[in-house]
Amino acid sequence: MGTALDGAAHEKINVATLKERKVRRHAITCLTAYDYAVARLLDEIGIDIILVGDSLAMTMLGYEDTLSVTVEEMLHHAKAVRRGVKNALVVVDMPYGSYHLGAEEAVRNAARFMKEAGADAVKIEGGEKRAEVIGRVIDAEIPVFGHIGLTPQSVRRTGGYKVQGKSMAEIDQLMADALALERAGVAAVVLEAIPREVAAMITAEIGVPTIGIGAGPDCDGQVLVIHDLVNLTFAPAAKFVRRYGDAAAEIGRAVGAFRADVLARKYPGDAESYHLPEETRRALEVVLERKRALGR
Ligand code: KIV
């Protein structure tokens, strides 16, 4: 147990805890973080799972989508997050191209996230068609989170970020995907952008926890991208996002005030400056006085 910002004790989370939470119907909280400071805050507040999502391609690195981010970039951010986290489960996204060539490549890259970044688990997008690869990663003692529904790494093939699972055929496929991931042994399944009714059905059907994002309130847990939650995205929010804060406004206000103070020579003030010890100050005065007398 660790003591958090709010003074409450938070339990150390592992993959077994998540299973217990599902059985006890105790909701699971998950947010993304990509750096030490935010990860530390989330951990101290008691968020259960911290996801180093490949969404960092957009939120932190300014790419258009998640496809460009590399294993090295994910490792860089995952290491920083790990240093800030004591109790939460740290899950790292396997980026596009790091598991698509087959199981060997997937295990090699997943093991890097475990050994070099200290991840507790990795997340891999895809259902039935990735189940074999995911099973091999789990065989290598690496816990895996599945991710089905809207899978952002497929955006070029699917042609956009669209709600999935709206037809009977798509619902059948989603259920088959969830069951295949459960059979492969995943620790949890992220359900992204699917109708509430479908997410509820999958959550009732499978024994592993579901973590929803745009999948309604009946999932075992909920995840959001932290930049969505605090308005740091420079874009309108998706339907499922609730903005709990306005960091853009707060940072804008603080930076604007700093700029105005510097321009008006109101920052820093004397109280924000370092001063010489009295003796040195007097000696310096004498030197300056001499220079003035010599006209220098
Ligand atoms: O990369 C990410 O942030 C994610 C969440 C949307 C679940 O995968």
Side-chain angles (χ1 to χ4, degrees), residues 32 51 53-55 93 123 147 190 192 213 225:
T32 64
L51 172 66
D54 61 353
S55 51
D93 246 335
K123 178 163 79 59
H147 181 160
V190 171
E192 179 163 354
I213 174 161
V225 168

Side-chain angles (χ1 to χ4, degrees), residues 201-220:
M201 211 168 76
I202 293 172
T203 301
E205 187 73 21
I206 64 174
V208 293
T210 58
I211 314 288
I213 174 161
D218 307 304
C219 300
D220 298 304

Side-chain angles (χ1 to χ4, degrees), residues 13 38 61 83 198 226 230 257:
I13 307 292
V38 172
L61 304 178
R83 289 191 280 268
V198 180
I226 186 76
V230 300

Side-chain angles (χ1 to χ4, degrees), residues 94 97-110:
M94 301 271 297
S98 69
Y99 56 92
H100 298 77
L101 287 177
E104 205 175 304
E105 183 208 32
V107 173
R108 189 181 325 110
N109 283 320

Side-chain angles (χ1 to χ4, degrees), residues 149-150 162-175 192-199 202:
L150 193 169
K162 299 183 192 124
V163 176
Q164 305 291 304
K166 294 213 278 194
S167 68
M168 285 310 288
E170 283 181 6
I171 295 169
D172 279 351
Q173 184 57 54
L174 275 174
M175 188 52 89
E192 179 163 354
I194 64 175
R196 173 182 181 168
E197 298 82 355
V198 180
I202 293 172

